[in-house]
Every structure is written in C-alpha cells, then in structure tokens.
Amino acid sequence: LSYLIYEVPDLLCGYLFRAGGGERFASNDEMARSGLDQTGVEVLAGDLPLQFNPFFTTLVDVTTAQCETSMRYQVIDSTGLRSGSETVIRFLVKPRGPAIESASVFQ
C-alpha cells in the first residue's frame, strides 16, 4: 500500500513529517504552486508513521494555544488502483493540561 497526500495540516497549527522526524511535507501553498495539490505526494510504507508536531515553529502560550486543521489523502493498493474516495483526518490541538512536577509517596 501507498498513500497520496493532497492536503497537509495548516503550518500555523503544526508541521507534518515523514517517519522518524525526517523530511517535512511541503505546505499547502507550496503544493499548489507545484501542482501537487492535484496529483498528490506519494507516501510509501517506509515513510510511516507520519508525525504531526503542533505549533512546531510558532511561538505560542502553551496554556491557551489551540487550533484545528486537517489533512486529506487517498490510498493506493499494491496493483496501483486508487481507493474510490479520499479520507480526511481532522486535528484538534487543545491547550496542555496540568502537569505533575513532583510527587511524594508516604506509607
């Protein structure tokens, strides 16, 4: 199996990377300029799992920052046939919750 990605998450919300934090996917604007929004960017099994890093290069207040974005793709089987429909994955990034900084255990 392989995948064709037609739309990546909005860069203000986060960046999408290939497996292991490798190559960053082009933005939707970059994809549109090169026509990849119509033909798609092929992702092979070795590129999985994809990694989404919220607010990767955006300075935000992590206690209040939130955003919503999506990506759109289509599956290609081993014979080269495309699935009949596209799939949309929606990302909802919410503010970080409380974190435990220390804990004491008593008996």
Side-chain angles (χ1 to χ4, degrees):
L1 288 179
S2 63
Y3 306 86
L4 284 176
I5 296 180
Y6 297 101
E7 179 184 328
V8 297
D10 185 327
L11 296 183
L12 292 177
C13 194
Y15 281 64
L16 189 65
F17 293 89
R18 293 180 190 268
E23 175 188 354
R24 174 185 70 84
F25 282 87
S27 71
N28 292 318
D29 289 341
E30 293 166 335
M31 289 174 64
R33 280 194 297 272
S34 60
L36 292 174
D37 59 332
Q38 300 298 316
T39 61
V41 174
E42 187 170 13
V43 176
L44 304 174
D47 295 325
L48 300 175
L50 301 180
Q51 181 179 343
F52 176 70
N53 290 348
F55 305 119
F56 186 67
T57 61
T58 307
L59 295 176
V60 296
D61 178 352
V62 295
T63 62
T64 60
Q66 59 184 355
C67 67
E68 186 173 348
T69 188
S70 62
M71 70 176 282
R72 188 170 52 95
Y73 71 93
Q74 192 172 29
V75 178
I76 303 173
D77 71 13
S78 58
T79 64
L81 295 175
R82 295 181 184 193
S83 61
S85 61
E86 295 177 351
T87 301
V88 175
I89 298 175
R90 300 203 185 284
F91 297 87
L92 177 58
V93 180
K94 293 188 172 193
R96 184 178 298 163
I100 298 174
E101 293 183 14
S102 67
S104 299
V105 179
F106 298 96
Q107 186 173 7

